[in-house]
Amino acid sequence: MCTNFTPTRNGQWVKEHFGVDLPATEYPAETYPGYAAPIVVRSHQTGRVACGLARFGLVPSWAKDDKIGRHTYNARSETVATKPSYRNPWRLRRYAIALLDSFYEPSYVTGKAERWKIELETKEPFGIASIWDTWTDALTGQVVTSFSMLTVNADAHPVMKQFHKLGDEKRTPVIIPPELHMAWLGATPQHAASFMSWQHMPALKAEEAPRSAV
């Protein structure tokens, strides 16, 4: 699972791979559920690609309030098509790519949780398969765009299998390689399911990343 990540600020990489600019609005250096981060989406009608900020933790359109977003930052690929929070965005092909430099996971090798950073071996930015939805705050009328990262089993992944507590299922967010970016954004639900695997992901590296003392 991914609860904390570093959104990219590499505008040149985003421009080269998607033909769009990163949002001009400032966003946090590290993202947690409830925080904003850049995602890329594509119109199924016109093919237009756009990049904007969205809240991490999907708030479905039917939600009474936005508290559900504290629990919907990761969507299991095995159940995304049927879970109430995710099935409409999945069916409506609301596929997105979250833009990252790295993400963080806990390692329990020493017996206690220690923060590790996961990034590409190349140290380039990368995109994680996501779904998005919009929710309207009944009190303010504000329209909130939010997203959830899609995850798969990682019990056999050479890097991701080492994280989380002993006995817990290992999971990894699904990284979409650059050559498949547009295919993912334009996928049908049936085609989208074929992306839900770690075998096509680029090579990862992990290292300890303790929080800096303030």
Side-chain angles (χ1 to χ4, degrees), residues 86-162:
Y86 309 124
R87 61 190 178 196
N88 281 341
W90 182 266
R91 177 180 58 84
L92 294 172
R93 304 169 64 198
R94 290 182 170 174
Y95 306 131
I97 293 178
L99 305 174
L100 281 68
D101 284 333
S102 60
F103 61 96
Y104 300 91
E105 298 286 3
S107 171
Y108 287 84
V109 172
T110 64
K112 61 180 181 179
E114 296 183 346
R115 192 170 93 137
W116 282 55
K117 179 174 73 172
I118 297 95
E119 59 186 349
L120 297 194
E121 282 190 348
T122 62
K123 292 187 175 292
E124 286 188 295
F126 55 93
I128 288 180
S130 305
I131 55 172
W132 65 274
D133 204 353
T134 57
W135 170 77
T136 302
D137 188 323
L139 296 178
T140 66
Q142 179 188 13
V143 178
V144 175
T145 301
S146 58
F147 72 100
S148 175
M149 293 179 175
L150 288 153
T151 69
V152 294
N153 178 276
D155 286 344
H157 189 281
V159 173
M160 299 305 296
K161 66 182 181 181
Q162 66 185 299

Side-chain angles (χ1 to χ4, degrees), residues 190-205:
Q190 295 74 21
H191 186 206
S194 69
F195 290 85
M196 297 297 101
S197 166
W198 60 259
Q199 278 77 8
H200 64 258
M201 289 172 24
L204 302 177
K205 60 176 290 187

